[in-house]
């Protein structure tokens, strides 16, 4: 995997904050990503100008067992409070291993890492199942960030298991009040601030002026986040992940979170590719795959009007 000669190393294993193991991915044109083995947590994704595209709180602790606040936590085997496990499951605060011999999985990227999580004895007490969770994090040429999860039921007792899931992506934005999300108009959602009550979104692109915590059901495979001030559009493409959670804690909730700055809500937005509405059930031997591809492109902005169709088609 490592590049030779004068080329920069495509995959480098090193120590991150508090001595935690991390992997740095580099793509020849200059984009980079960083993944902590703690949580298989992507904590950085930079474009070829070195600009950070993910939000990580200045107060993030990088201290197990607390999950890292920001980047891309992986929620498994439970999203949010949809079940009896701890909030967002336990995958985000387990130590993952580098998978040195992953089953064949095609890629055209040279800069990727395969991680694996298997249950510990303690995990089995909480969730009595055996599984192999493989996560590949890859940087594409052009700097796209690709995450592919493969979860296999390895139960020897013949029992199926059921889970919900999310890539809890924190995007870095210039100013939340200047941001629009396109692709979720007119969809049904569960409002997590109203006991998961089901409602239908209006016809306009989403904009933000207060706390939001909604799970949109059965969304298109492509969602765009337009950052007007930065003139940047994030495009999410997802496969196997029918739902999308949109979260911003806003000022009041921000103040209750020890690992989040009081004003940081202005500079982040979570849009999370997820499986929540219809949980996945796997029989022994079965595997589920969920893929997320993120790209950051310049926004087309003309005469005060963003053309959503244009942005979605051209990206
Ligand atoms: O603080 P946590 O456990 O990382 O969760 C952050 C948020 O994550 C979102 O995905 C949930 O919808 C919110 O309800 C939750 O508050």
């Amino acid at each position: 995997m490592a590049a030779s000669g004068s080329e920069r190393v495509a995959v480098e294993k090193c120590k991150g904050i508090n001595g935690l193991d991390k992997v740095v991915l580099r793509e020849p044109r200059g984009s980079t990503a960083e993944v902590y083995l703690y949580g298989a947590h992507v904590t950085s994704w930079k474009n070829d100008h070195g600009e950070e595209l993910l939000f990580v709180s200045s107060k993030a602790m990088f201290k197990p067992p607390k999950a890292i606040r920001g980047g891309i936590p992986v929620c498994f085997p439970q999203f949010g409070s949809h079940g009896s496990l701890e909030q967002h499951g336990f995958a985000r605060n387990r130590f993952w291993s580098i998978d040195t011999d992953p089953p064949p999985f095609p890629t055209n990227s040279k800069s990727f890492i395969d991680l694996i999580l298997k249950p510990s004895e303690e995990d089995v007490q909480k969730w009595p199942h055996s599984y192999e969770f493989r996560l590949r994090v890859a940087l594409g040429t052009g700097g796209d960030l690709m995450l592919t999860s493969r979860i296999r039921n390895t139960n020897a007792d013949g029992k199926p298991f059921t889970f919900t899931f999310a890539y809890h992506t924190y995007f870095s934005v210039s100013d939340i009040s200047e941001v629009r999300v396109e692709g979720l108009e007119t969809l049904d959602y569960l409002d997590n601030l109203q006991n998961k009550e089901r409602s239908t979104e209006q016809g306009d692109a989403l904009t933000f002026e207060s706390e939001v915590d909604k799970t949109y059901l059965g969304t298109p495979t492509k969602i765009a986040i337009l950052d007007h001030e930065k003139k940047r559009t994030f495009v999410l493409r997802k496969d196997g992940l029918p739902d999308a959670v949109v979260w911003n804690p806003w000022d009041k909730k921000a103040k209750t979170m020890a690992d989040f700055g009081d004003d940081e809500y202005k500079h982040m937005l979570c849009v999370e590719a997820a499986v929540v509405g219809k949980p996945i059930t796997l029989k022994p031997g079965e595997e589920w795959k969920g893929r997320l591809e993120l790209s950051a492109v310049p926004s087309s902005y003309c005469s005060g009007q963003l053309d959503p169709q244009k942005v979605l088609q051209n990206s």
Side-chain angles (χ1 to χ4, degrees):
M1 269 184 285
S4 59
S6 59
E7 275 180 66
R8 291 194 300 164
V9 179
V11 181
E12 184 193 355
K13 293 159 207 158
C14 52
K15 294 285 177 196
I17 297 172
N18 292 336
L20 295 171
D21 290 316
K22 74 173 180 182
V23 175
V24 180
L25 304 177
R26 295 189 182 90
E27 177 276 325
R29 284 188 225 166
S31 307
T32 59
E34 295 188 1
V35 190
Y36 275 71
L37 297 200
Y38 177 59
H41 198 130
V42 177
T43 54
S44 172
W45 170 39
K46 289 183 182 165
N47 64 15
D48 50 11
H49 300 296
E51 294 165 333
E52 182 57 67
L53 302 170
L54 297 177
F55 165 87
V56 175
S57 172
S58 60
K59 298 200 165 175
M61 289 172 191
F62 292 82
K63 225 183 206 168
K66 180 94 186 133
I68 299 165
R69 176 68 64 195
I72 313 184
V74 174
C75 305
F76 170 83
Q78 176 182 301
F79 173 77
S81 56
H82 290 256
S84 56
L85 297 175
E86 63 206 80
Q87 158 102 338
H88 291 327
F90 48 74
R92 65 176 178 163
N93 49 24
R94 291 294 178 272
F95 285 93
W96 292 54
S97 306
I98 292 178
D99 191 0
T100 47
D101 190 22
F105 188 45
T107 183
N108 46 18
S109 161
K110 279 196 182 132
S111 182
F112 66 88
I113 188 76
D114 286 296
L115 302 176
I116 185 163
L117 181 70
K118 293 181 191 177
S120 66
E121 274 172 30
E122 188 198 327
D123 295 342
V124 175
Q125 305 294 317
K126 289 185 180 172
W127 200 60
H129 298 293
S130 176
Y131 59 86
E132 289 173 357
F133 183 164
R134 292 190 161 80
L135 175 70
R136 172 170 292 183
V137 181
L139 259 185
T141 44
D144 291 359
L145 181 68
M146 295 166 288
L147 284 87
T148 308
S149 288
R150 294 182 289 170
I151 297 172
R152 177 175 291 277
N153 181 333
T154 54
N155 273 339
D157 58 7
K159 289 201 179 124
F161 62 63
T162 299
F163 63 92
T164 48
F165 179 95
Y167 292 115
H168 194 308
T169 310
Y170 289 73
F171 292 95
S172 168
V173 298
S174 53
D175 176 354
I176 187 68
S177 58
E178 299 286 334
V179 168
R180 306 156 42 112
V181 174
E182 292 173 357
L184 302 175
E185 307 81 5
T186 71
L187 297 180
D188 277 9
Y189 63 86
L190 308 177
D191 192 340
N192 299 317
L193 300 176
Q194 305 289 337
N195 292 319
K196 305 192 179 80
E197 204 174 278
R198 192 168 175 138
S199 306
T200 304
E201 193 55 72
Q202 303 298 304
D204 300 326
L206 312 188
T207 52
F208 303 92
E209 50 192 27
S210 58
E211 182 181 2
V212 59
D213 189 352
K214 295 177 177 176
T215 303
Y216 291 86
L217 302 168
T219 78
T221 54
K222 205 164 162 183
I223 298 170
I225 303 165
L226 292 84
D227 186 339
H228 173 104
E229 205 172 295
K230 269 257 155 67
K231 296 192 170 48
R232 174 188 290 148
T233 298
F234 292 108
V235 181
L236 276 88
R237 292 182 183 82
K238 56 195 182 73
D239 190 26
L241 301 154
D243 308 323
V245 181
V246 177
W247 180 62
N248 182 297
W250 222 256
D251 55 347
K252 230 162 109 197
K253 188 160 281 171
K255 291 199 175 81
T256 68
M257 293 158 60
D259 59 348
F260 192 86
D262 288 359
D263 287 330
E264 285 184 329
Y265 73 93
K266 293 177 184 164
H267 306 297
M268 55 73 68
L269 178 66
C270 287
V271 178
E272 313 165 31
V275 183
V276 179
K278 289 186 193 141
I280 304 290
T281 297
L282 293 178
K283 293 191 195 117
E286 285 184 338
E287 185 177 84
W288 169 84
K289 193 157 103 181
R291 187 178 148 81
L292 172 66
E293 191 174 325
L294 302 177
S295 40
V297 296
S299 295
S300 48
Y301 182 73
C302 10
S303 62
Q305 281 283 307
L306 281 166
D307 179 344
Q309 279 322 104
K310 229 179 189 171
V311 171
L312 287 172
Q313 277 158 16
N314 291 350
S315 50

